[in-house]
Amino acid sequence: MDTGDVLASLGIEGATAAAHALSLPAEAYGNDAQLEVMWAMKAYNHAEVYFNLISSVDPKFLKLTKSDEQIYTKFREAFPDLSIQVLDPELLKSADAKEKWRPFCNQFEGVVEDFNYGTLLRLDCQKDYTEENTIFATRIQFYAIEIARNREGYNDVVHKANSKTKQLKDDS
């Protein structure tokens, strides 16, 4: 069942309730399976929109937030040697990594909307979102890494591959 099917099954009232539920802070809930599904759907939709965007538009020209410059500068100050082409999950999720990421992320509270919301992040930027190539990260981690990938040319592969595919379809 895809997102459209799930939303259709919820109906307009259910979709409105889901949107309201997703806007509340995490502390307002326990472990609600239906809510987890809604969060996963929201994260998946965000990932799908982003991948379509970098497939269609030259990533070097994308502006993901009004604070891209600040995010990129602070990210590279805090993580100058982090390899972003293929991420090592341990550099995001280990106890040591979390200690290093926490102050970086927290400086964007009030600057980047929903900075600490869960988001899907591709491990290998040359590949699409798949179960094997995706990790759950905070939104500010997503922005920091994807802004860097865009500026440093790592997402060009996705854009060029999809531009060639589109051109082949248009030529036939």
Side-chain angles (χ1 to χ4, degrees):
M1 181 181 292
D2 69 9
T3 306
D5 294 334
V6 171
L7 291 176
S9 72
L10 288 173
I12 191 72
E13 291 170 357
T16 303
H20 173 70
L22 292 175
S23 69
L24 296 174
E27 298 81 33
Y29 301 98
N31 290 334
D32 181 339
Q34 187 175 9
L35 188 62
E36 288 179 14
V37 169
M38 287 188 287
W39 276 110
M41 286 180 356
K42 187 175 180 178
Y44 176 78
N45 285 340
H46 178 265
E48 187 175 44
V49 167
Y50 180 70
F51 194 80
N52 288 338
L53 192 60
I54 63 172
S55 297
S56 307
V57 178
D58 187 337
K60 287 186 188 83
F61 300 114
L62 286 179
K63 187 165 173 64
L64 301 181
T65 75
K66 63 182 180 182
S67 305
D68 280 14
E69 188 62 39
Q70 178 185 5
I71 294 168
Y72 179 73
T73 301
K74 297 288 186 184
F75 171 67
R76 279 309 188 193
E77 284 173 3
F79 303 96
D81 301 321
L82 181 64
S83 173
I84 57 173
Q85 185 173 8
V86 180
L87 294 170
D88 177 351
E90 286 299 306
L91 297 177
L92 294 169
K93 298 293 183 183
S94 71
D96 287 343
K98 286 180 180 181
E99 286 302 312
K100 188 160 185 177
W101 276 101
R102 188 171 293 112
F104 171 81
C105 294
N106 287 338
Q107 71 184 316
F108 291 100
E109 184 173 9
V111 176
V112 174
E113 186 177 347
D114 302 333
F115 78 103
N116 63 348
Y117 277 32
T119 305
L120 300 176
L121 179 64
R122 294 171 300 138
L123 293 171
D124 183 338
C125 67
Q126 295 185 2
K127 298 178 182 176
D128 201 343
Y129 286 91
T130 62
E131 190 173 339
E132 301 79 30
N133 193 44
T134 304
I135 191 168
F136 206 58
T138 64
R139 182 153 303 162
I140 193 61
Q141 287 174 307
F142 168 86
Y143 282 143
I145 291 166
E146 289 297 340
I147 290 167
R149 285 174 167 175
N150 291 342
R151 290 183 176 205
E152 295 172 18
Y154 292 107
N155 278 333
D156 290 354
V157 172
V158 172
H159 176 68
K160 288 176 183 169
N162 285 293
S163 294
K164 287 179 185 174
T165 303
K166 185 178 184 302
Q167 185 175 14
L168 289 174
K169 285 181 183 176
D170 290 347
D171 290 346
S172 56

